[in-house]
Amino acid sequence: MTIENLDLVCFSHLRWNFVFQRPQHLLIRFAKNRRVFYIEDPVYGEVEDFCQVTQSEIHPNIYVVVPNLKVGTPGPAFFLREKELLTEVFKDNGINNYIFWYYNPMAMLISDHFTPSLVVYDCMDELSAFKSAPLGLKENEDELFKKADLVFTGGYSLYEAKKHRHPAVYAFPSSIDKEHFKKARLVTNDPEDQKSIPYPRIGFYGVIDERMNINLVKKVAELRPEWQMIFIGPVVKIDPATLPKLSNIHYLGNKSYQELPSYLAGWNISMIPFALNESTQFISPTKTPEYLAAGKSVISSSIQDVVNPYGNNKLVYIADTPEDFIAAAESDLSMLDRKPWLDQVDNFLKDYSWDQTWKQMNSLISDKFIDKVQEKNITNLNLKEKIYV
């Protein structure tokens, strides 16, 4: 048995078709050599329990698994039925030798009866700090740390917070598909829903939720009514009615990953106007290097994993107040020669890629798998020796 013979089973709190981000970038690369089963949180309805298994359009080796549970089942029974459904999925699809890959610690409640060859926890966020975090999340993460063979973190600040909890923790900050976002440097045609918006434009894409500093956005838009602020992405976990409604703030809705360079191309500046709170303490926004690869200046609040390394290397502006934001934007809009800055960006990003991140992760996984096989062989040999003594 080699590592290439193992299926990868991922437990995630994120829908596969929601926003294209870290899980998708990594798992499509793992799917080059094996089957990947992406287990989503259940959905609830009126029909009897069943599990929907769908081949992903992104990659033929990726299968999206969605447990469907009937509304009205008592709480603890949900986990029992979900376990039974997943057991059927494993049996029906011949999933016999596999790696478990967790994004969602709560999945410990539905997966503790399986026997994976290896357990990886890719801790991309501090989920317990997010709005509406489920009860028991911290306790289940504790259990996951006990069972994991490897722990990866989505940034350096998260690494510092987790490194003492496991002997094999490795930092893998958000990476980038440079060639995809560099397309923004060449695009000249504006998307239909953006072309009528005047200049200058300051844009954001991503999930719009409790992390957004709504007051900062509103104040900047009020103080500079000639600046157009563009938001792309779904609104989740907050009431859309709480978002500022001004004539120079534009919400264009969710766009596909493939469309993003076309929108970026039409912006003067990009932004990450996050609040500084529990939910942003350990985040490492993937959009930071993506914005930069697109050739766009970035104004970000002082998120730790943006300040270091991007702010410290003078690649992005750091601003937490409307006054600082406006000063940064005015400085950038008056810049006449961007080539020195862009050369610095390209040099900084030259070794950044999801391919490189995947290779490093895969190397650690392969080494750990070999170690476990050798340990198992030694244990079996010792048992045989005891039998014949």
Side-chain angles (χ1 to χ4, degrees):
M1 176 64 63
T2 65
I3 192 74
E4 288 78 16
N5 298 128
L6 301 178
D7 292 323
L8 190 149
V9 180
C10 175
F11 297 90
S12 181
H13 58 292
L14 300 167
R15 299 293 174 193
W16 180 257
N17 292 319
F18 177 50
V19 175
F20 196 95
Q21 51 188 306
R22 183 184 181 96
Q24 287 85 350
H25 280 295
L26 291 172
L27 295 180
I28 61 175
R29 286 164 171 81
F30 280 111
K32 293 177 182 178
N33 300 318
R34 60 175 58 81
R35 296 187 302 174
V36 172
F37 293 85
Y38 188 85
I39 315 294
E40 295 186 356
D41 282 343
V43 296
Y44 303 95
E46 297 298 331
V47 299
E48 293 300 321
D49 299 341
F50 72 98
C51 229
Q52 182 180 12
V53 181
T54 307
Q55 191 174 37
S56 171
E57 295 180 358
I58 297 176
H59 198 287
N61 278 350
I62 295 177
Y63 300 85
V64 181
V65 180
V66 185
N68 287 251
L69 301 178
K70 187 175 182 180
V71 172
T73 310
F78 278 134
F79 299 121
L80 178 59
R81 279 298 296 138
E82 201 171 347
K83 279 185 173 185
E84 292 172 350
L85 289 174
L86 289 180
T87 300
E88 293 174 9
V89 169
F90 275 53
K91 181 179 179 181
D92 292 344
N93 291 275
I95 308 173
N96 301 314
N97 300 292
Y98 45 88
I99 299 169
F100 270 1
W101 183 285
Y102 289 89
Y103 285 108
N104 181 13
M106 294 302 292
M108 294 298 293
L109 296 170
I110 60 169
S111 60
D112 58 359
H113 61 301
F114 292 107
T115 55
S117 298
L118 205 70
V119 176
V120 178
Y121 177 26
D122 188 18
C123 181
M124 64 181 286
D125 286 307
E126 182 58 82
L127 294 179
S128 63
F130 282 21
K131 187 176 182 179
S132 304
L135 294 174
L137 182 60
K138 290 185 177 181
E139 291 77 8
N140 281 287
E141 186 182 61
D142 289 340
E143 190 63 26
L144 180 51
F145 269 109
K146 293 176 185 177
K147 294 194 174 184
D149 296 291
L150 291 167
V151 177
F152 303 144
T153 66
Y156 291 112
S157 60
L158 199 52
Y159 168 78
E160 291 297 326
K162 304 291 185 181
K163 67 181 181 180
H164 302 296
R165 299 179 62 184
H166 193 278
V169 182
Y170 300 88
F172 286 101
S174 298
S175 197
I176 182 175
D177 181 350
K178 285 195 292 287
E179 297 310 311
H180 179 66
F181 286 95
K182 276 189 174 182
K183 294 175 185 175
R185 304 187 189 188
L186 304 174
V187 173
T188 56
N189 296 325
D190 238 356
E192 282 299 320
D193 56 350
Q194 184 170 270
K195 64 171 48 178
S196 63
I197 298 174
Y199 292 89
R201 299 169 177 172
I202 304 175
F204 168 92
Y205 66 73
V207 178
I208 303 169
D209 56 17
E210 76 273 17
R211 294 172 295 179
M212 189 65 63
N213 189 336
I214 294 172
N215 292 329
L216 173 65
V217 171
K218 183 173 184 291
K219 191 65 175 177
V220 170
E222 289 174 341
L223 292 172
R224 292 294 185 273
E226 71 277 17
W227 293 357
Q228 309 301 313
M229 308 188 79
I230 298 172
F231 288 87
I232 290 173
V235 179
V236 302
K237 294 190 287 185
I238 60 172
D239 184 353
T242 63
L243 296 174
K245 305 294 193 299
L246 297 170
S247 61
N248 60 330
I249 300 181
H250 311 269
Y251 302 100
L252 303 187
N254 201 13
K255 307 297 177 184
S256 72
Y257 180 74
Q258 298 302 321
E259 293 176 290
L260 293 179
S262 295
Y263 283 89
L264 272 166
W267 300 351
N268 298 92
I269 301 171
S270 59
M271 61 177 168
I272 308 175
F274 284 162
L276 301 179
N277 54 34
E278 282 188 350
S279 64
T280 61
Q281 184 178 0
F282 300 111
I283 64 172
S284 177
T286 306
K287 59 182 62 60
T288 312
E290 292 174 350
Y291 286 160
L292 291 172
K296 299 301 173 182
S297 302
V298 183
I299 303 175
S300 172
S301 51
S302 56
I303 302 301
Q304 187 172 341
D305 281 12
V306 178
V307 173
N308 184 24
Y310 301 103
N312 291 344
N313 282 281
K314 308 299 182 184
L315 299 176
V316 308
Y317 300 96
I318 302 299
D320 290 315
T321 67
E323 294 75 19
D324 287 345
F325 190 104
I326 289 170
E330 288 178 340
S331 175
D332 191 77
L333 290 171
S334 65
M335 189 185 302
L336 297 178
D337 183 8
R338 294 185 174 275
K339 188 176 186 305
W341 170 80
L342 197 55
D343 288 344
Q344 185 183 1
V345 165
D346 289 342
N347 183 62
F348 184 85
L349 294 177
K350 69 179 187 299
D351 296 325
Y352 275 55
S353 75
W354 283 114
D355 284 336
Q356 183 65 19
T357 299
W358 170 76
K359 287 177 183 177
Q360 293 172 349
M361 285 181 169
N362 196 48
S363 178
L364 289 168
I365 291 170
S366 297
D367 289 346
K368 179 60 70 172
F369 177 72
I370 291 171
D371 289 344
K372 290 194 72 172
V373 170
Q374 290 175 344
E375 289 173 6
K376 184 177 179 180
N377 290 340
I378 291 172
T379 300
N380 290 339
L381 180 61
N382 289 337
L383 288 174
K384 288 181 180 179
E385 288 177 349
K386 288 181 180 180
I387 292 172
Y388 289 106
V389 168

